[in-house]
Structure formats: structure tokens, C-alpha cells
Amino acid sequence: MVDIYFPQISNTTDRKYLVLADLCFSGLWTFLWFVGFCFLTNQWSWTQARDVQIGADSARAAITFSFFSIFSWGLLIAFAYKRYKMGVEDFARSYIDPSAEVPTPYSSYPNISHDSYQQPPFTHTAETPEGYQPPPVY
């Protein structure tokens, strides 16, 4: 769920804590799968072949699944760490302290000065031709 809503979170502190939580969660599950793999392998090595009539393939499949789960969760740790490093670098590189100055307005086209704005309509600033009277301004 965090991966779905992550791009919509704008607060860098919240993003940092979510990525660190993802990193810790993936690390915990990697450790648990490693412990499970070690336990299952140890138990299987002590099992005698004459004691197992049914389920030997299931036990080997569980050991194999736990072994490959270690690498899968380890890969998730690498992705979370990469996201953490990317977020720290992006924030440090793109952060600009806001200044007290009022910024100049953006022009709609390049190389256009900001002095060439249109006059507001219905103002009487220029001379009018004879016979034409603009409507009064209220």
C-alpha cells in the first residue's frame, strides 16, 4: 500500500520514515527467512531416510522456498536502500531556501520583457478618434 501512495506524499519527513520502515520490515523478513532456512536444513539433515515415507519432496520444497526467499527479501532491502539514498540526494540537491524577495512574474514566451503587458480593457488612456465615445467607467 505504501508503494501505491508514495508518489502522492509530499512531506519529505514522512517519506523518509516510510522508506526506513520499509527497509526495516524487509530486513526483518530476510532475517526470519534465513533463520527458517537454517532451522529446516538442520532438521532435514538430522532426519533419517527410513523415518520419512511421505512428504520428503514437500520438505525439500519448503527448504528451497525459504532459501530463495532470502534473496527475494534481500533484493527488496536493496530497492528500499536505493530509494532512501535517492530521496536524500534529491532533497539535498533540489532544496532551495525561500527568499524574502518577490519573484518576477513568468512571461508566456521566451525573451519577452515584463513591461509589455496589455493595458486593462475599458480604460481611457489614449486619445480617441472623433465621433467615438468610449462607455463610461464606473
Side-chain angles (χ1 to χ4, degrees):
M1 291 304 294
V2 172
D3 288 335
I4 293 171
Y5 292 112
F6 190 77
Q8 298 172 357
I9 300 170
S10 61
N11 189 350
T12 56
T13 306
D14 291 343
R15 280 185 167 206
K16 176 183 167 186
Y17 290 135
L18 285 173
V19 170
L20 287 175
D22 185 25
L23 190 65
C24 292
F25 181 78
S26 298
L28 175 70
W29 277 105
T30 304
F31 175 74
L32 291 175
W33 279 112
F34 177 73
V35 169
F37 170 74
C38 292
F39 176 75
L40 289 174
T41 306
N42 186 28
Q43 291 297 315
W44 187 249
S45 68
W46 289 102
T47 304
Q48 300 293 328
R50 60 181 163 79
D51 295 336
V52 179
Q53 280 109 21
I54 300 174
D57 290 336
S58 298
R60 284 191 283 270
I63 292 170
T64 304
F65 178 79
S66 62
F67 177 74
F68 287 117
S69 292
I70 295 169
F71 294 109
S72 300
W73 284 97
L75 189 63
L76 291 175
I77 290 174
F79 288 150
Y81 182 72
K82 181 181 175 184
R83 183 182 282 180
Y84 175 75
K85 293 301 282 183
M86 181 177 60
V88 170
E89 290 170 0
D90 284 348
F91 180 73
R93 184 176 44 221
S94 66
Y95 180 73
I96 299 172
D97 192 24
S99 63
E101 298 176 10
V102 176
T104 58
Y106 294 106
S107 61
S108 58
Y109 295 104
N111 301 326
I112 300 288
S113 69
H114 299 291
D115 298 331
S116 63
Y117 286 115
Q118 262 185 324
Q119 294 295 325
F122 307 116
T123 58
H124 185 33
T125 58
E127 293 186 27
T128 58
E130 283 188 43
Y132 173 74
Q133 296 294 326
V137 178
Y138 296 105

